[in-house]
């Protein structure tokens, strides 16, 4: 469990935190000729080296399996995905990566159980779920709702750059904290506060599609945060 959580933390950092949208677009356009693809693999390799504490004598097989499989999976995704199947291949890509990480973690089973390891498990678990609530959820929600996207940038648009993304991340972090600290009433307050601030935009726009779009995004955002909060508490009890 400890090793798999380390693998998962490195994967999330490499795929969601340290990879920008420009890198993703460059890989989609140039595919195997993209230098960003190899920078991306290099970042994963460096993170794995940190996890293995640069001890490749013992973990060389796991290191090679993860890096090679990650490269193959990414290349397959780049060549097989189309505009209509892009969302499907995103989830397939992540599932295959997780499967490879789980497989490699089963190759090393000689873990000692101690108070230090349990404490480390909790820290890693919280780190993983914090990233899932913030960065990962933001990308997944964006992928889901972009099929509607009624909002188009206007010349007089005075909205802050990427404000919606950061607002979503903050609200999910708040909801996640409220769930794991058992303050469910605060979630209702947060939802009500957001509704008040959004009410002016929705009434002035008189656009039903925009209203539905915002509602779907809000429900997905709160839903992901609540689900991950409950899942975190369940796993924490198991640990």
């Amino acid at each position: 469990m400890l090793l798999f959580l380390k693998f998962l933390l490195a994967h999330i950092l490499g795929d969601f935190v340290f990879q920008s949208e420009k890198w993703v677009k460059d890989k989609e356009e140039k595919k195997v000729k993209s230098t960003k693809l190899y920078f991306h693999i290099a970042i994963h390799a460096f993170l794995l080296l940190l996890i293995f504490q640069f001890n490749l004598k013992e973990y060389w097989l796991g290191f090679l399996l993860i890096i090679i499989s990650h490269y193959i999976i990414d290349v397959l995704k780049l060549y097989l995905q189309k505009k209509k199947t892009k969302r499907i291949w995103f989830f397939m890509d992540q599932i295959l990566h997780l499967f490879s990480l789980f497989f490699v973690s089963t190759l090393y089973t000689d873990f000692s159980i101690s108070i230090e390891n349990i404490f480390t498990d909790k820290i890693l678990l919280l780190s993983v779920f914090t990233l899932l609530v913030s960065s990962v959820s933001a990308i997944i929600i964006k992928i889901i709702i972009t099929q509607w996207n009624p909002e188009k940038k206007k010349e007089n648009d005075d909205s802050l750059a990427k404000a919606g993304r950061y607002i979503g991340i903050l609200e999910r972090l708040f909801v996640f904290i409220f769930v794991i600290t058992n303050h469910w009433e605060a979630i209702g307050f947060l939802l009500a506060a957001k509704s008040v601030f959004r009410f002016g935009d929705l009434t002035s726009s008189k656009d039903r599609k925009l209203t539905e779009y915002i509602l779907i995004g809000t429900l997905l955002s709160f839903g992901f945060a609540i689900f991950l909060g409950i899942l975190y508490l369940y796993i924490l009890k198991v640990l």
Side-chain angles (χ1 to χ4, degrees):
M1 185 64 179
L2 176 59
L3 185 61
F4 178 73
L5 283 175
K6 288 182 177 180
F7 286 158
L8 187 57
L9 178 60
H11 174 73
I12 291 174
L13 289 172
D15 257 27
F16 295 96
V17 179
F18 297 139
Q19 181 174 220
S20 65
E21 292 184 8
K22 291 182 180 179
W23 283 28
V24 174
K25 291 180 180 178
D26 188 80
K27 290 193 300 180
E28 291 175 348
E29 292 176 1
K30 301 177 182 177
K31 296 180 173 53
V32 293
K33 295 181 180 180
S34 171
T35 57
K36 300 299 186 295
L37 172 63
Y38 301 98
F39 286 149
H40 173 67
I41 298 299
I43 288 174
H44 276 280
F46 178 73
L47 291 171
L48 284 176
L49 286 174
L50 289 179
I51 288 176
F52 293 139
Q53 297 180 349
F54 296 91
N55 181 19
L56 289 182
K57 289 184 179 179
E58 182 178 356
Y59 298 104
W60 66 269
L61 179 60
F63 177 82
L64 289 178
L65 286 174
I66 292 176
I67 294 302
I68 294 174
S69 65
H70 195 104
Y71 176 79
I72 293 174
I73 293 169
D74 278 10
V75 170
L76 286 174
K77 176 190 172 186
L78 291 174
Y79 280 97
L80 295 177
Q81 72 177 3
K82 306 295 181 183
K83 286 185 178 181
K84 293 183 179 179
T85 60
K86 196 171 182 179
R87 296 179 184 86
I88 296 174
W89 274 105
F90 168 79
F91 291 107
M92 285 294 297
D93 172 79
Q94 294 303 315
I95 290 172
L96 290 173
H97 285 318
L98 292 178
F99 178 78
S100 66
L101 296 178
F102 176 77
F103 173 75
V104 173
S105 65
T106 60
L107 299 178
Y108 307 96
T109 57
D110 54 340
F111 297 122
S112 60
I113 299 176
S114 63
I115 296 177
E116 290 78 13
N117 283 337
I118 295 175
F119 183 70
T120 304
D121 284 349
K122 292 179 180 180
I123 293 177
L124 288 171
L125 185 66
L126 181 60
S127 300
V128 167
F129 271 82
T130 300
L131 291 171
L132 287 173
V133 170
S134 55
S135 299
V136 179
S137 295
I139 294 175
I140 292 176
I141 292 172
K142 181 181 178 181
I143 290 173
I144 293 174
I145 66 176
T146 45
Q147 56 184 312
W148 297 295
N149 195 17
E151 291 186 287
K152 294 182 179 180
K153 290 186 178 180
K154 301 178 181 179
E155 294 181 359
N156 297 326
D157 188 7
D158 57 354
S159 177
L160 296 174
K162 298 183 179 180
R165 173 184 173 88
Y166 295 120
I167 291 172
I169 290 175
L170 288 172
E171 75 181 20
R172 285 191 299 277
L173 286 174
F174 281 131
V175 172
F176 179 74
I177 293 172
F178 294 151
V179 171
I180 65 176
T181 57
N182 198 29
H183 288 87
W184 289 83
E185 67 281 358
I187 299 176
F189 174 79
L190 183 62
L191 183 59
K194 183 176 181 179
S195 300
V196 170
F197 283 110
R198 272 294 190 178
F199 181 76
D201 296 334
L202 296 178
T203 53
S204 61
S205 67
K206 297 180 181 179
D207 188 342
R208 182 176 177 179
K209 290 183 179 180
L210 177 60
T211 303
E212 292 174 344
Y213 177 79
I214 293 174
L215 182 59
I216 291 172
T218 298
L219 292 177
L220 282 173
S221 183
F222 276 74
F224 269 113
I226 292 172
F227 169 74
L228 290 171
I230 296 173
L231 183 61
Y232 170 81
L233 291 175
Y234 174 77
I235 296 177
L236 197 61
K237 289 181 180 179
V238 175
L239 293 178

